[in-house]
Amino acid sequence: MRAVRFHEHGGPEVLQVDDIDRPEPDDDELLVSVRAAAVNPVDTYFREGSYSPGDLPWIPGSDFAGAVEAVGADVDGFAEGDRVFGTGLGNDRPGTCAEYVATPADRVARLPEGVGFDEGAAVALVGVTAWRALVDHAGLEPAERCLVHGGSGGVGHVAVQLAAATGARVTTTASERYHDRIDALGARTVLDYARDDLADTVREAGEPDVVLDHRLDDYLQFDADVAARGARIVGIGNEDVAAGFDNVPAARSKELTVTLMSMFNTPDISAVLARLARSVADGKIAPEIARSYPLDEVDAAQRDVIGESFLGKLVVEP
Ligand SMILES: NC(=O)c1ccc[n+]([C@@H]2O[C@H](COP(=O)([O-])OP(=O)(O)OC[C@H]3O[C@@H](n4cnc5c(N)ncnc54)[C@H](OP(=O)(O)O)[C@@H]3O)[C@@H](O)[C@H]2O)c1
């Protein structure tokens, strides 16, 4: 099969397409013929070597959608030909930018008819991230106020929709050019993250009970300033919050909670994926595909995921 691999850590130029053997699924795994894989910032961290997954050469990519090709002996509930999607690969095991992937069955869910492979791949990692942040960690409830930083991003645009679907009032930030489209995703208030009076305008929209923050290094003090008493702040970014809350007095006086999380720790990925699949099928969450790339342009896709601005997700179609 054709698979994208890096044989050494470095820039996007270390990515190449190799012809390698198809993986054999273990007893608890599925072999999936990959129709779409999504690109995430974490793929670039693994490629650069800032976190090192398994031994090189390594296949990047966490998300996939495709058709089941073979079913491991111990796997129930899936059959050859099923349309599925999944995430959580590319870290403890090889990734998804390949024609086939062997995946543990507990990181997979069925993709409903009418939901495209590209949508399945696009929603998987960012959807599980948004779910773990807003539902598992923050316990977001209807009519609470939720601030999502970066509502045009991969995580952000799904988090806005998930929060709105729970009945929360969503405030989000994004570049001006995306505001109309993010309004349509269900945000009640969309603000330019570059405006000088951002804190005042967030407060005017309602002090948030929950904050989803992908740049805690930049916004920890901001979050503490605008948050409601007892607010829950979940940090997902690649942050180094060296100062900690000791230097943010509002965190103590408002009794704020801050949680740093990793999507890869989600205990039951397939259960979350199943809920996301239902939400997409019901039109509650619409993953936006900004651009698609063939397998031999994954280097460009990884360059763009860090260097370009877009609304939604970049997807690879082998
Ligand atoms: N912990 C986890 O489990 C987990 C899971 C997924 C992602 N992440 C991390 O979360 C971050 C976001 O991931 P992603 O996939 O959503 O990335 P993404 O698709 O590249 O989105 C990043 C967003 O940040 C916006 N942005 C840039 N500067 C900003 C600022 N000063 N204030 C607010 N927003 C700003 C960008 O908007 P413009 O394009 O308009 O500048 C863009 O929409 C990354 O660091 C990623 O590694 C962590």
Side-chain angles (χ1 to χ4, degrees):
M1 70 169 185
R2 297 173 77 231
V4 176
R5 297 200 297 180
F6 50 95
H7 294 246
E8 59 182 320
H9 293 295
E13 66 284 352
V14 300
L15 297 168
Q16 63 184 64
V17 179
D18 292 333
D19 271 313
I20 61 171
D21 290 339
R22 232 191 237 198
E24 290 290 333
D26 285 342
D27 288 348
D28 62 344
E29 293 183 345
L30 301 170
L31 179 70
V32 176
S33 161
V34 177
R35 305 292 164 75
V39 180
N40 291 284
V42 71
D43 303 348
T44 71
Y45 315 148
F46 289 152
R47 188 203 68 225
E48 286 165 348
S50 39
Y51 307 102
S52 227
D55 295 335
L56 301 185
W58 194 250
I59 303 173
S62 292
D63 303 311
F64 65 91
V68 174
E69 192 81 11
V71 180
D74 295 343
V75 176
D76 293 323
F78 291 101
E80 200 181 316
D82 283 350
R83 301 171 80 250
V84 294
F85 73 126
T87 191
L89 309 187
N91 183 12
D92 62 341
R93 50 192 304 116
T96 60
C97 286
E99 289 177 322
Y100 295 90
V101 69
T103 171
D106 61 7
R107 301 184 199 178
V108 178
R110 284 168 190 281
L111 196 60
E113 289 305 322
V115 178
F117 289 122
D118 54 353
E119 294 178 292
V123 81
L125 182 144
V126 295
V128 173
T129 303
W131 190 285
R132 184 141 182 82
L134 296 177
V135 180
D136 292 350
H137 285 307
L140 181 65
E141 293 184 357
E144 282 196 309
R145 295 180 174 120
C146 179
L147 169 63
V148 176
H149 288 279
S152 63
V155 176
H157 88 292
V158 170
V160 164
Q161 297 179 78
L162 179 62
T166 68
R169 287 178 172 206
V170 182
T171 297
T172 192
T173 64
S175 302
E176 193 86 43
R177 67 180 129 158
Y178 302 123
H179 284 200
D180 288 350
R181 290 170 66 197
I182 299 174
D183 270 342
L185 299 180
R188 182 173 283 225
T189 308
V190 188
L191 301 166
D192 191 336
Y193 61 70
R195 57 190 292 171
D196 292 335
D197 61 348
L198 186 62
D200 291 338
T201 51
V202 167
R203 276 194 213 96
E204 277 162 27
E207 293 179 345
D209 306 293
V210 168
V211 180
L212 175 49
D213 190 326
H214 67 311
R215 299 170 72 102
L216 212 49
D217 285 348
D218 296 331
Y219 288 115
L220 177 60
Q221 178 71 58
F222 177 96
D223 294 343
D225 288 345
V226 301
R229 189 173 300 275
R232 294 91 74 198
I233 299 165
V234 184
I236 63 163
N238 207 11
E239 57 268 306
D240 171 19
V241 197
F245 262 9
D246 291 347
N247 294 332
V248 183
R252 193 175 310 109
S253 58
K254 290 185 179 176
E255 298 197 349
L256 305 179
T257 307
V258 75
T259 307
L260 308 183
M261 59 151 275
S262 168
M263 186 284 313
F264 288 107
N265 294 333
T266 305
D268 191 349
I269 286 180
S270 58
V272 178
L273 289 172
R275 299 278 185 88
L276 290 167
R278 215 180 288 162
S279 304
V280 176
D282 289 349
K284 302 283 188 201
I285 294 179
E288 298 276 335
I289 317 292
R291 234 170 283 156
S292 297
Y293 302 78
L295 212 51
D296 55 7
E297 291 179 16
V298 171
D299 56 342
Q302 286 201 5
R303 229 174 245 120
D304 293 348
V305 78
I306 298 298
E308 300 279 315
S309 179
F310 50 86
L311 193 158
K313 293 293 299 174
L314 306 181
V315 167
V316 174
E317 293 176 307

